[in-house]
Amino acid sequence: MSNVKKFMYINNKAPYGTIYAWESLEVVLIGAAFDQDVSLMFTGDGVYQLMKGQDTKEVGIKNFSPTYAALGDYDINKIYVEKESLDARGLTVDDLMHLVWEDEDEDWAEKDSIKVVTSAELAEILDQQDVVLSF
Amino acid sequence: MSILHTVNKSPLDRTTLKSCLNLAVKGASVLLIEDGVYGAVSGAESTQMVQDAMGDVAVYVLGPDLKARGVDESRLIDGVKVVDYDGFVDLTTDNDTVSAWV
Amino acid sequence: MKFGIQVNEGPYTHEASVTAINFIKSAVAKGHEVFRVFFYHDGVNNGTRYATPPQDDINIQQTWSDLAKEHNIDLVICVAAAQRRGLADDGEQERNKLDGNNIMDGFRISGLGQLIEAGIECDRLVVFGD
């Protein structure tokens, strides 16, 4: 058996109202050091985690949204967002942060990390995982 | 590959059961635990959604959580299978992956 | 089979701890190995030593401790989550110059890598949360 497993992080909760979004991002960052095949999926209110323009100054808690932009540097570039969840919230991909990664095999060409997929496509992706972490 | 989904929220309170059923491939198993067991009852707003999914996925419910909440098995949607904690363990080993909808 | 377990919720407030305990009892009774339980988010509160619940209620923290001893289960509390929530062992007490520690026998505090490692090492990872 190969020692590289497919890890999927399910992000199904909105940020700030509860700590789950931030603490699960901390796991993703630590997990990146283990050289596993990592994907993230954002469904339900989880899509709100990726909204542009988050500003927590007046609330006084940490704004962790800039951290998502660093994921590309950790070779985490499979970020799946469920189309139906965006639709249900009146959002499009343009409302989300622009997350990119640099493809070493194509002379460091900058590519989009976020892939908007349908439920049916995401179901197939989820079915292929070895380890599913939910927070 | 086969996958077991667990859902622990009432479908009348939260949308995790709906999210889970949308993302369950044909042949997947769904186990309702904790407050998720309310998703297994017939005659509720959520019943049709669960019945529609049952053509493609197998739905299980954790018996001890049903009993704790006073939900008699006679109230369950036809075809929903009741398991105990041993059955829960067996579902995790019979499938390749476990995905929790928390 | 070899199991890894993740517990995301505190004891008593949420059923997740008890569901995980019942699952683990069944798993070990069936001859499976539970390699590690990783406590995250408010789940770190499963490992406090000073809980004194009423006699007619389950003592969740003690139950974990007994389970770990009986079945050689590694109970790991996430250090980052523990620091936020005021849970400390000897090492954390010394490092952060605290006036005491409050970790239950059988638990240890370590990094998030322990969760990823459980995902890699175990045949199944099962998450109990909110």
Side-chain angles (χ1 to χ4, degrees):
Chain A
M1 196 177 106
S2 150
N3 55 4
V4 174
K5 285 189 170 182
K6 288 187 170 178
F7 274 68
M8 172 62 87
Y9 293 87
I10 298 186
N11 296 281
N12 198 45
K13 294 191 180 87
Y16 308 117
T18 56
I19 198 171
Y20 300 102
W22 169 224
E23 285 192 334
S24 71
L25 191 54
E26 288 189 314
V27 180
V28 174
L29 295 172
I30 298 287
F34 285 75
D35 292 326
Q36 302 294 302
D37 181 357
V38 173
S39 302
L40 272 60
M41 59 182 261
F42 293 84
T43 55
D45 281 350
V47 301
Y48 287 130
Q49 292 181 32
L50 300 175
M51 290 281 282
K52 275 181 190 163
Q54 297 176 36
D55 179 357
T56 60
K57 270 201 285 297
E58 292 182 19
V59 180
I61 55 178
K62 184 186 172 93
N63 177 1
F64 58 87
S65 64
T67 311
Y68 293 100
L71 291 175
D73 300 334
Y74 289 85
D75 290 327
I76 295 168
N77 49 43
K78 285 179 283 192
I79 300 180
Y80 301 103
V81 177
E82 190 190 35
K83 182 179 185 303
E84 287 81 349
S85 295
L86 287 177
D87 291 348
R89 289 160 182 78
L91 299 174
T92 71
V93 71
D94 295 332
D95 296 306
L96 307 182
M97 293 181 281
H98 185 214
L99 305 183
V100 296
W101 63 289
E102 292 175 343
D103 190 346
E104 192 178 343
D105 298 332
E106 289 184 25
D107 197 23
W108 306 101
E110 201 173 85
K111 296 185 173 178
D112 286 346
S113 300
I114 291 182
K115 295 160 190 70
V116 177
V117 293
T118 64
S119 300
E121 289 168 325
L122 195 51
E124 293 298 331
I125 293 163
L126 184 57
D127 193 47
Q128 297 306 312
Q129 304 301 315
D130 297 311
V131 181
V132 180
L133 290 160
S134 336
F135 299 95
Chain B
M1 297 287 285
S2 61
I3 187 162
L4 170 70
H5 299 273
T6 64
V7 176
N8 71 345
K9 302 292 182 316
S10 162
L12 279 80
D13 182 37
R14 300 269 282 272
T15 56
T16 45
L17 179 57
K18 189 174 165 224
S19 299
C20 164
L21 295 176
N22 283 341
L23 291 176
V25 291
K26 200 174 167 71
S29 297
V30 176
L31 172 64
L32 306 172
I33 66 172
E34 301 170 359
D35 288 349
V37 300
Y38 296 119
V41 301
S42 55
E45 260 176 40
S46 51
T47 302
Q48 190 63 49
M49 173 178 77
V50 177
Q51 281 174 327
D52 291 347
M54 284 175 69
D56 287 335
V57 304
V59 178
Y60 300 84
V61 63
L62 193 59
D65 278 330
L66 274 181
K67 279 191 189 145
R69 288 161 177 77
V71 180
D72 193 85
E73 288 185 22
S74 63
R75 300 180 73 96
L76 298 182
I77 298 167
D78 281 344
V80 171
K81 299 180 198 77
V82 181
V83 296
D84 55 11
Y85 292 104
D86 281 356
F88 185 176
V89 173
D90 290 341
L91 281 169
T92 63
T93 57
D94 291 346
N95 289 279
D96 299 303
T97 313
V98 187
S99 167
W101 289 91
V102 296
Chain C
M1 269 191 182
K2 193 170 176 179
F3 280 89
I5 305 290
Q6 180 186 335
V7 176
N8 291 340
E9 297 306 319
Y12 303 104
T13 303
H14 196 286
E15 195 181 348
S17 303
V18 175
T19 306
I21 286 169
N22 288 325
F23 179 91
I24 290 166
K25 283 180 176 171
S26 277
V28 293
K30 283 174 161 289
H32 297 299
E33 178 194 353
V34 176
F35 164 66
R36 176 174 295 157
V37 184
F38 190 84
F39 297 90
Y40 199 39
H41 304 301
D42 282 357
V44 299
N45 294 317
N46 282 278
T48 57
R49 193 169 72 231
Y50 295 126
T52 52
Q55 292 280 324
D56 63 348
D57 202 351
I58 178 177
N59 186 326
I60 293 176
Q61 290 89 340
Q62 187 64 52
T63 304
W64 280 119
S65 186
D66 295 344
L67 261 181
K69 241 174 259 156
E70 196 177 341
H71 303 290
N72 195 28
I73 302 170
D74 188 18
L75 303 181
V76 180
I77 291 168
C78 169
V79 62
Q83 286 171 337
R84 286 193 180 108
R85 293 164 180 85
L87 203 82
D89 59 5
D90 287 341
E92 282 297 297
Q93 180 186 345
E94 203 174 305
R95 231 183 330 278
N96 299 302
K97 301 190 171 40
L98 308 174
D99 63 6
N101 68 72
N102 55 351
I103 195 172
M104 184 75 177
D105 186 34
F107 287 79
R108 65 189 180 95
I109 293 180
S110 188
L112 279 167
Q114 302 280 304
L115 171 62
I116 308 297
E117 187 190 66
I120 295 169
E121 297 266 319
C122 295
D123 301 304
R124 298 290 182 276
L125 185 84
V126 187
V127 181
F128 297 91
D130 184 48

